[in-house]
């Protein structure tokens, strides 16, 4: 069992910082390059959502929490931004709250595809917490 | 990113490097769009050979460039993706609208057809 918690400003250059930290934290599970890449992508999506939508470009604090337990990893990305009014709508493929920014609307779809589970808790005016899990199966030897 | 033109194909080639996320996508978009206008070409190739990471910001960038070149009668080549990047593109059906190729040369052969 291991835990981590990271707080950083909602700046777009911290998207890379956050996904790199998440990848480093789960190295203990001996993931494949592909699994690492999937987690990095999912974290990048969640943090980008917090920067663009949660804080809408203004400055706020984003929290990344990680838990390792046996061969599973759990990450939460938390903001205290504007929140999501309609979570179901936000999770629809190709739906973007900011189409004018050339956002693809595929962020949640990618998180769902690359992680085992994803849970979104949000309240307007309070913020959003996205929690994702992934089990790293041991590779068969030989 | 490196931008160059292959006159024979009226093709702007954008060689992308490093990691593509929301932070860097805006600058890449502006540079490509500026060159498309300035060089008077109609086809665009985006080469991901040296790009190790991409999230959905890259999808937005590529779909946006697809709209630009198709509006001027051109085609989009996307090439050199690693497995992870390829999977992300497949999620929104890029292979149905763009020339998806392993290498730039292979993509240019498609332009000839």
């Amino acid at each position: 069992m291991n835990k981590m918690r990271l707080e950083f400003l909602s700046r777009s250059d911290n998207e890379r910082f956050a996904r790199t930290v998440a990848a480093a934290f789960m190295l203990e599970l001996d993931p494949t390059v592909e699994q690492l890449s999937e987690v990095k992508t999912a974290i990048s999506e969640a943090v980008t959502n917090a920067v663009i939508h949660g804080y809408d470009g203004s400055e706020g604090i984003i929290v990344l929490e990680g838990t390792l337990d046996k061969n599973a990893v759990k990450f939460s990305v938390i903001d205290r931004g504007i929140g999501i009014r309609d979570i179901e709508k936000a999770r629809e493929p190709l739906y973007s709250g900011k189409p004018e920014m050339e956002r693809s609307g595929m962020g949640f779809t990618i998180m769902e595809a690359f992680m085992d589970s994803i849970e979104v808790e949000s309240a307007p005016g309070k913020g959003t917490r996205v929690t994702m899990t992934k089990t790293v199966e041991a590779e068969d030897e030989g | 990113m490196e931008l160059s033109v292959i006159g024979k194909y009226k093709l702007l080639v954008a060689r992308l490097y490093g990691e593509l996320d929301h932070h860097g996508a805006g600058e890449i978009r502006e540079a490509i769009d500026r060159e498309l206008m300035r060089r008077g070409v109609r086809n665009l190739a985006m080469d991901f050979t040296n790009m190790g990471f991409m999230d959905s910001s890259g999808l937005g960038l590529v779909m946006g460039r697809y709209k630009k070149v198709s509006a001027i009668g051109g085609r989009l080549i996307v090439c050199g993706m690693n497995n992870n990047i390829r999977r992300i593109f497949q999620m929104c059906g890029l292979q149905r609208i763009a020339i998806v190729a392993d290498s730039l040369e292979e993509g240019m052969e498609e332009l000839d057809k």
Side-chain angles (χ1 to χ4, degrees), chain A residues 12-13 15-16 19 34 37-38 40-41 44-45 48 51-52 101-104 106-107 109-110 113-114, chain B residues 19-23 29 33 52-57 59-61 64-65 83-84 87-88 91-92:
Chain A
S12 64
D13 49 352
E15 292 154 6
R16 182 179 192 159
R19 65 178 180 259
E34 183 146 328
S37 194
E38 288 168 349
K40 277 172 76 176
T41 310
S44 199
E45 299 298 347
T48 301
V51 172
I52 296 182
M101 285 178 73
E102 275 195 355
R103 303 299 306 165
S104 66
M106 292 295 282
T109 307
I110 289 173
F114 284 5
Chain B
E19 306 202 343
L20 175 50
D21 61 10
H22 154 244
H23 179 64
R29 176 177 63 225
D33 287 357
F53 174 88
M54 184 193 88
D55 65 17
S56 71
S57 309
L59 272 184
L61 175 74
R65 305 292 69 62
N83 280 343
N84 218 58
R87 265 173 76 198
I88 294 172
M91 278 182 208
C92 69

Side-chain angles (χ1 to χ4, degrees), chain B residues 32-52:
Chain B
I32 290 177
D33 287 357
R34 197 167 48 231
E35 284 300 289
L36 273 177
M37 293 274 283
R38 203 167 69 89
R39 304 284 197 121
V41 292
R42 64 163 188 265
N43 299 308
L44 171 67
M46 299 178 77
D47 186 348
F48 285 81
T49 305
N50 295 302
M51 180 136 273

Side-chain angles (χ1 to χ4, degrees), chain B residues 71-112:
Chain B
I72 53 174
R75 299 186 72 188
L76 173 69
I77 298 171
V78 183
C79 61
M81 297 100 81
N82 67 27
N83 280 343
N84 218 58
I85 297 179
R86 189 178 285 263
R87 265 173 76 198
I88 294 172
F89 280 134
Q90 279 168 348
M91 278 182 208
C92 69
L94 181 76
Q95 67 280 6
R96 288 198 296 272
I97 56 170
I99 299 170
V100 176
D102 288 337
S103 66
L104 179 60
E105 290 68 28
E106 201 183 292
M108 289 192 298
E109 281 172 23
E110 287 295 314
L111 284 180
D112 276 333

Side-chain angles (χ1 to χ4, degrees), chain A residues 22-43:
Chain A
F25 178 66
M26 69 177 287
L27 277 181
E28 201 179 310
L29 299 183
D30 202 16
T32 62
V33 173
E34 183 146 328
Q35 287 164 335
L36 269 182
S37 194
E38 288 168 349
V39 169
K40 277 172 76 176
T41 310
I43 296 295

Side-chain angles (χ1 to χ4, degrees), chain A residues 66-140:
Chain A
T67 307
L68 285 183
D69 193 7
K70 296 196 182 84
N71 61 343
V73 65
K74 178 164 94 176
F75 286 112
S76 294
V77 174
I78 304 145
D79 71 62
R80 297 272 168 259
I82 60 167
I84 304 170
R85 213 173 304 122
D86 187 343
I87 295 176
E88 215 170 300
K89 181 112 197 130
R91 289 179 69 158
E92 278 176 15
L94 301 173
Y95 171 80
S96 174
K98 298 215 184 284
E100 73 282 4
M101 285 178 73
E102 275 195 355
R103 303 299 306 165
S104 66
M106 292 295 282
F108 277 119
T109 307
I110 289 173
M111 288 183 246
E112 284 166 12
F114 284 5
M115 303 295 278
D116 295 343
S117 75
I118 161 172
E119 190 189 346
V120 184
E121 298 160 81
S122 189
K126 297 241 169 83
T128 301
R129 169 192 286 262
V130 176
T131 302
M132 298 176 276
T133 64
K134 192 174 184 72
T135 302
V136 177
E137 301 292 347
E139 291 274 296
D140 286 336

